[in-house]
Amino acid sequence: MVCMQMTATAKDRKDGGKTAGLKSMIVNNRPQTTLSTKDFYYDLPESQIAQTPAEPRDSSRLLVVDAKTGETQDRIFRDIVDYLHPGDTLVVNDSKVIPARLYGVKADSGIECEVVLLRMREADVWECLVRPGRRLKPGAIIVFGNGLCRATVNETVEGGNRLLSFVYDKEKWNFYTLLDEIGQMPLPPYITEKLRDKDRYQTIYANEEGSAAAPTAGLHFTNELLDKIRQMDVAVVPVMLHVGLGTFRPVKVESITDHEMHSEYFVVSEAAARTINERRRAGGRTICVGTTSCRTLESAADENGMVHAMQGDTGIFIYPGYRFKAMDALITNFHLPESTLLMLVSAFSSREIMLNTYNEAVEKGYRFFSFGDAMFIS
């Protein structure tokens, strides 16, 4: 069963009301299961955690997996064209990663501080991770960029995060150009090497600023590859979900049904919904690029698989027992052990097949996580 609860539409989003009138929705999925978090563990050597992206983008490896049988094929990512058919729809997440990691000093003491922007609550007010948390209580002021920007801690919210109000010269900057000046890309904690080119933690079709992490399955595409895909009569359709750092938050409960997902802001436009529905009705498959595109479509689809135009916050949690409504195939990277993303791909195939596939990928030397290799599951 899927339980849907309506919420108020988020205000002051960057889109400036372009999608006004669409619905806002939180979707919570709770199929019955006896699985525990430890049931999604696999052993991964640290040496197989990719520290740098493949060059060129589409030269990464691709493990093709039959979701029903577990049969696999070893390919290169640019070979994805061999598995796409005329009439298919490729759904991509066009959210753009912002330089969300900021370093500053506490105004009254000079203590060094770190702030990671998680999500915009309203204009110039962001929910953030902060360090050191014990020193950044409501009322504290942080100075960034030698005075280019100041932030006041408004309050502490759920999970220990803080709401910060930012003040800067609006005649000189908008907030996103300011971030380009003072911020750094918020690479996941398992990437320890410095990123030489910040655009490599960005998909080539990134457009809507607001993510604290990249929708990494899309990092493998080049403009040339997407052009070739479009020439095959495969539609490339953007949706948007701003990825939060909750993506990397470990599941700390024993029973997966006790885990509460972080919510993320998403948009499905009228044009995207229409194209997806029309091509699927005509017999084409809907192929999601990444778990964020998958979660977006499944949040916007009804029980008959029709995708509806809407915007809002989704907390959908997909794990074995879930019945997919809108997605027919998935392009994705390899995910962390015991993560909600591994649970999602296990729901699309099976836990046994996915763990066997992951163990096979380890044995074959595939690279894992954000800058790692890809899978095509169909």
Side-chain angles (χ1 to χ4, degrees):
M1 173 185 284
V2 177
C3 176
M4 298 185 180
Q5 178 182 355
M6 302 301 295
T7 73
T9 301
K11 296 180 180 179
D12 297 316
R13 295 289 183 180
K14 176 182 174 289
D15 63 14
K18 286 188 294 185
T19 52
L22 302 186
K23 294 181 180 178
S24 173
M25 182 176 289
I26 289 180
V27 182
N28 296 306
N29 180 54
R30 287 291 183 266
Q32 297 299 311
T33 183
T34 58
L35 292 171
S36 67
T37 301
K38 64 184 179 183
D39 290 325
F40 295 88
Y41 178 79
Y42 68 93
D43 190 33
L44 177 67
E46 189 173 338
S47 60
Q48 286 180 245
I49 300 175
Q51 295 296 312
T52 56
E55 292 292 352
R57 290 173 181 257
D58 60 359
S59 66
S60 53
R61 297 173 69 185
L62 177 69
L63 186 61
V64 180
V65 186
D66 187 306
K68 294 181 179 179
T69 67
E71 181 182 352
T72 62
Q73 301 176 55
D74 299 296
R75 304 294 297 268
I76 300 299
F77 190 81
R78 64 179 66 96
D79 297 335
I80 192 68
V81 295
D82 294 338
Y83 301 92
L84 304 178
H85 312 307
D88 285 347
T89 303
L90 200 65
V91 180
V92 301
N93 179 8
D94 70 353
S95 181
K96 188 174 185 178
V97 187
I98 59 175
R101 178 167 278 115
L102 309 177
Y103 294 98
V105 296
K106 195 163 180 279
D108 61 357
S109 64
I111 292 174
E112 294 183 351
C113 306
E114 179 184 356
V115 170
V116 179
L117 306 175
L118 297 180
R119 57 184 298 170
M120 184 173 67
R121 290 295 193 89
E122 55 184 274
D124 297 326
V125 177
W126 287 74
E127 182 177 345
C128 306
L129 291 174
V130 300
R131 294 178 183 173
R134 67 184 184 280
R135 300 291 185 93
L136 297 174
K137 297 178 180 179
I141 297 175
I142 310 168
V143 180
F144 304 100
N146 294 319
L148 288 179
C149 177
R150 296 165 68 90
T152 300
V153 179
N154 294 340
E155 61 179 291
T156 301
V157 295
E158 185 178 357
N161 296 339
R162 306 294 199 272
L163 286 188
L164 269 61
S165 294
F166 290 84
V167 178
Y168 51 94
D169 185 350
K170 294 185 179 180
E171 292 186 0
K172 184 176 181 180
W173 310 96
N174 69 51
F175 191 68
Y176 293 101
T177 58
L178 178 65
L179 289 182
D180 285 336
E181 181 72 19
I182 66 174
Q184 297 182 19
M185 296 300 275
L187 294 180
Y190 48 74
I191 296 178
T192 57
E193 291 195 21
K194 186 176 179 61
L195 184 64
R196 296 180 180 178
D197 178 4
K198 67 180 182 180
D199 286 338
R200 287 301 279 109
Y201 193 57
Q202 207 79 267
T203 63
I204 59 168
Y205 44 76
N207 184 51
E208 298 290 339
E209 292 171 309
S211 274
T216 54
L219 296 179
H220 306 282
F221 287 96
T222 64
N223 285 313
E224 293 76 16
L225 180 57
L226 282 179
D227 286 344
K228 187 174 183 179
I229 288 170
R230 292 187 182 99
Q231 291 167 9
M232 297 170 56
D233 187 28
V234 174
V236 179
V237 174
V239 296
M240 194 281 292
L241 182 142
H242 285 327
V243 188
L245 289 185
T247 296
F248 307 106
R249 189 170 294 160
V251 179
K252 296 181 178 179
V253 294
E254 181 177 348
S255 174
I256 64 175
T257 55
D258 293 333
H259 177 69
E260 290 298 325
M261 288 287 287
H262 60 288
S263 63
E264 294 164 313
Y265 180 70
F266 76 97
V267 175
V268 178
S269 69
E270 293 279 0
R274 181 171 57 253
T275 299
I276 292 166
N277 292 330
E278 288 177 353
R279 293 176 74 91
R280 202 174 193 219
R281 277 197 301 266
R285 297 172 301 168
T286 300
I287 301 164
C288 289
V289 177
T291 57
T292 60
S293 297
C294 167
R295 294 177 66 244
T296 299
L297 284 201
E298 292 298 315
S299 297
D302 62 27
E303 291 300 319
N304 296 316
M306 291 289 293
V307 175
H308 298 273
M310 62 179 62
Q311 66 180 2
D313 295 328
T314 180
I316 190 171
F317 183 12
I318 297 176
Y319 53 82
Y322 180 84
R323 183 181 66 83
F324 286 84
K325 299 169 292 185
M327 183 177 76
D328 301 304
L330 176 65
I331 297 170
T332 185
N333 283 14
F334 293 93
H335 304 296
L336 279 71
E338 300 182 342
S339 65
T340 60
L341 305 182
L342 179 54
M343 295 171 191
L344 185 154
V345 297
S346 297
F348 189 61
S349 176
S350 74
R351 184 182 70 90
E352 294 77 14
I353 286 176
M354 277 299 104
L355 288 180
N356 287 338
T357 302
Y358 269 54
N359 288 328
E360 177 184 335
V362 170
E363 292 173 2
K364 291 180 174 179
Y366 277 77
R367 303 196 317 152
F368 280 63
F369 306 162
S370 295
F371 284 148
D373 297 316
M375 306 173 71
F376 177 62
I377 311 172
S378 66

